[in-house]
Amino acid sequence: MEIYLIRHGCTRGNLEHRYVGSTDESLTEEAVRVIAKSRDSYPHPDIVFSSPLNRCVETAGLLYPDLGITVLQELRECSFGEFEYKNYLELKDDLRYQQWIDSGGTLPFPGGESREAFIDRCAWAFEEGIRAGVQKKCEKMAFVVHGGTVMAVLDRYSLPHRDYFDWQVKNGCGFAGRLVMEEGQIRITELRGFPE
């Protein structure tokens, strides 16, 4: 089974390097043009799952206008809590932010999620999508999600394993891989980036 993990197109908050979690932004006009123009360079799935947030639903609709989109609530981006929609310049003097940086991003966001809780949530939703796709006998599945969601899923399932921050991906880009079962566990192998 082929799996495609696609990060949504660019938003204003992305351009300003903000922590955009629950803020429900739409794509920029430029992102809409770029994605629509490059649609043919993306893989062609049998089924598409999306985060419920506008930036993902819009991206999925632009890429796959002829496929229905299945929204999975738990695929949404990490809850950044009190850091939501702030950027480095706004946070650099906040001691809690420095502590979070020093922890390698493992401390929970103040008032938000921990990395481990976020990974668990995304993994649960990803497996829900896989089960739904298998039930419909799909051979190719796309997940149009957030950068953090891509990192969470691949931190959990990549083979060979690479860590969370190793899977950072630019807006509108993603990873393709093959879903396999190894010792009763879901794994994603043969991972490669796209579009080239």
Side-chain angles (χ1 to χ4, degrees):
M1 179 183 306
E2 285 287 308
I3 299 294
Y4 313 122
L5 295 165
I6 304 167
R7 184 181 179 195
H8 62 79
C10 197
T11 69
R12 179 180 170 191
N14 295 146
L15 291 173
E16 295 172 357
H17 306 289
R18 296 184 179 280
Y19 288 91
V20 186
S22 59
T23 302
D24 202 6
E25 291 189 307
S26 290
L27 302 177
T28 64
E29 290 181 13
E30 177 63 15
V32 169
R33 280 193 294 275
V34 167
I35 291 169
K37 184 178 177 183
S38 60
R39 180 182 307 145
D40 291 340
S41 63
Y42 287 82
H44 303 284
D46 303 316
I47 193 168
V48 180
F49 300 97
S50 173
S51 157
L53 298 178
N54 284 334
R55 54 197 184 268
C56 294
V57 174
E58 289 171 4
T59 301
L62 287 165
L63 290 175
Y64 306 114
D66 299 327
L67 292 175
I69 309 299
T70 301
V71 170
L72 295 175
Q73 294 292 326
E74 302 304 313
L75 288 175
R76 67 189 180 280
E77 181 60 281
C78 185
S79 171
F80 296 124
E82 294 176 37
F83 296 167
E84 175 67 24
Y85 215 70
K86 295 180 180 171
N87 61 24
Y88 171 77
L89 289 176
E90 295 164 339
L91 291 168
K92 64 182 175 63
D93 297 324
D94 187 325
L95 178 61
R96 299 169 306 163
Y97 183 64
Q98 191 56 57
Q99 290 169 336
W100 181 80
I101 295 286
D102 292 344
S103 78
T106 58
L107 284 177
F109 290 98
E113 282 181 290
S114 69
R115 183 195 302 176
E116 200 52 45
F118 174 57
I119 291 172
D120 286 346
R121 170 168 63 77
C122 292
W124 181 87
F126 178 73
E127 290 188 18
E128 284 291 299
I130 296 301
R131 280 190 281 276
V134 167
Q135 194 171 39
K136 294 181 178 183
K137 298 183 173 21
C138 297
E139 294 184 11
K140 300 175 181 179
M141 301 183 203
F143 291 78
V144 181
V145 292
H146 309 273
T149 310
V150 171
M151 293 190 295
V153 168
L154 293 179
D155 179 85
R156 178 64 55 89
Y157 300 110
S158 60
L159 185 70
H161 180 261
R162 285 172 37 202
D163 290 329
Y164 187 79
F165 288 113
D166 292 331
W167 296 108
Q168 293 182 68
V169 62
K170 293 179 180 177
N171 291 104
C173 296
F175 294 100
R178 185 161 254 338
L179 188 89
V180 298
M181 293 296 288
E182 181 170 282
E183 298 177 3
Q185 299 291 318
I186 290 174
R187 294 289 179 253
I188 306 174
T189 66
E190 303 173 33
L191 282 152
R192 61 210 180 271
F194 67 85
E196 296 180 5

